[in-house]
Amino acid sequence: MKNLKGISYLFVLSLFLINLLSSCAQPNVKAEAEAQSEAETETETETEKPLVVFVTGDHEYSSESTMPLLAAELEKNYGMRTIVLKSSPDHTSEENIPGLEALKEADLAVFFLRWRRLPEDQVKYIEDYLKTGKPVVGFRTSTHAFNYPKGHPLEKWNAFGELALNAPPGWGGEANHTHYGHESTTEVSVIPEAADNPVLTGVDKNFNAKSWLYTTLPDYPIDGSTLLLMGHSINPNKADAIDHPVAWTGTNSYGGKVFMTTLGHPGDFDEEPFQRLVINGIHWAVGKPVPKEWAGKIEMNVPYRGM
């Protein structure tokens, strides 16, 4: 009888311990399930953010410094993912930009290039991206992004500005694409007919830019482009200087949306109107609404490198 009571006691004690352990484990299982669900939601949210790939490489305007700061702002305050690619081993390297395969996953490509001579396999990533009809954004010297010698198999890419950005097809040439001298600056004004364009949201009607004015007229931007801002050269080196567009949108020869600006001196990026223009243009290009709320001025302070 005593043995039977002992067995009963042990059985009840075992049940109590099992229930106790079960009740302790359940919150942990629930917590793990909730954590997993949150992680999955976070992953889904991340993949829903558009991926913006910056392709940089110029001798003069410090794009390898300004573009990462712009990319960081897009990630911090505007719900985008970014990748910044740079010429290697440094900005003067004209024949190598590692990582261009990232363009295969990009929702938007942003180009700030000057006189590159990339190998065919790297150019192929750019060409394949353009052929998808996905959007592009271009800055300043991207009008003459490439500089292959006459007769080179990739010579057609010297006209990248025209092919991708509705801009003049390279420096000089039949379009006589040039500027009004390094001692000049540019007075920028909103074109009245474009005043209600969403890309100009919050952009001052008039502001000054450090960039010396690039020439585009009379043949560029390509017909059908929407002109946004006009530039007037201050202290030009030519007596016959005229005003030229410095920002426009449109559709390029591949069917992709284009936002292009011939501004891009690092001093321009210190100006809040220009910052707003760029943030707005990137949103427009990638198909996101232009921000209703401005996150505030971006601290850039990148020096101009010079020729």
Side-chain angles (χ1 to χ4, degrees):
M1 196 70 175
K2 286 182 180 179
N3 288 339
L4 186 60
K5 285 182 179 180
I7 292 170
S8 299
Y9 173 78
L10 289 173
F11 179 73
V12 172
L13 180 62
S14 298
L15 286 178
F16 173 76
L17 291 173
I18 289 170
N19 288 333
L20 180 63
L21 291 172
S22 176
S23 64
C24 291
Q26 282 178 358
N28 292 334
V29 171
K30 184 178 180 182
E32 288 175 5
E34 289 176 350
Q36 183 177 353
S37 176
E38 288 176 3
E40 289 173 354
T41 302
E42 184 176 346
T43 302
E44 289 171 1
T45 302
E46 283 296 315
T47 57
E48 289 171 1
K49 293 179 179 179
L51 174 62
V52 183
V53 176
F54 291 79
V55 185
T56 73
D58 83 277
H59 310 79
E60 185 176 1
Y61 293 101
S62 304
S63 63
E64 78 284 349
S65 297
T66 56
M67 294 298 99
L69 293 172
L70 179 57
E73 183 71 8
L74 292 173
E75 291 205 354
K76 179 181 177 182
N77 290 315
Y78 297 103
M80 300 188 194
R81 295 176 294 141
T82 64
I83 295 173
V84 181
L85 306 179
K86 302 179 182 183
S87 291
S88 177
D90 60 40
H91 65 278
T92 66
S93 304
E94 299 175 346
E95 299 180 358
N96 184 29
I97 300 179
L100 283 165
E101 59 272 17
L103 289 172
K104 293 191 290 186
E105 306 299 327
D107 298 296
L108 171 65
V110 178
F111 295 98
F112 201 144
L113 296 173
R114 181 177 187 264
W115 285 344
R116 305 292 101 171
R117 295 188 310 278
L118 301 180
E120 184 176 2
D121 61 327
Q122 293 190 7
V123 173
K124 186 69 164 54
Y125 288 120
I126 295 174
E127 182 176 26
D128 287 348
Y129 177 85
L130 293 173
K131 284 182 174 178
T132 66
K134 289 182 178 180
V136 294
V137 167
F139 287 97
R140 197 157 177 78
T141 50
S142 296
T143 59
H144 45 293
F146 297 101
N147 187 31
Y148 294 101
K150 190 171 181 61
H152 191 283
L154 299 177
E155 183 183 4
K156 78 165 190 176
W157 291 102
N158 292 353
F160 179 82
E162 181 176 50
L163 295 171
L165 303 169
N166 294 4
W171 199 247
E174 293 182 6
N176 192 30
H177 182 42
T178 185
H179 61 67
Y180 289 135
H182 290 79
E183 300 304 316
S184 63
T185 57
T186 301
E187 183 178 79
V188 180
S189 60
V190 170
I191 295 172
E193 294 79 6
D196 294 329
N197 192 296
V199 178
L200 296 176
T201 301
V203 177
D204 293 352
K205 291 184 178 180
N206 299 279
F207 64 93
N208 293 320
K210 291 283 189 182
S211 291
W212 29 96
L213 182 62
Y214 274 9
T215 64
T216 58
L217 299 175
D219 298 320
Y220 299 90
I222 287 174
D223 286 347
S225 302
T226 300
L227 308 185
L228 302 175
L229 297 174
M230 190 65 71
H232 175 76
S233 183
I234 305 298
N235 192 33
N237 63 357
K238 297 177 178 66
D240 59 350
I242 65 171
D243 294 352
H244 293 271
V246 296
W248 58 85
T249 58
T251 302
N252 65 21
S253 63
Y254 297 92
K257 293 168 68 178
V258 174
F259 167 69
M260 172 65 191
T261 176
T262 57
L263 304 177
H265 187 291
D268 298 343
F269 284 97
D270 290 329
E271 302 300 323
E272 192 164 348
F274 185 64
Q275 292 181 4
R276 297 203 70 165
L277 172 77
V278 171
I279 294 291
N280 293 347
I282 287 173
H283 277 78
W284 173 86
V286 83
K288 287 175 67 81
V290 168
K292 293 181 180 179
E293 297 294 329
W294 173 238
K297 188 175 181 181
I298 312 165
E299 293 301 319
M300 302 285 273
N301 301 318
V302 174
Y304 170 63
R305 183 183 298 110
M307 294 291 289

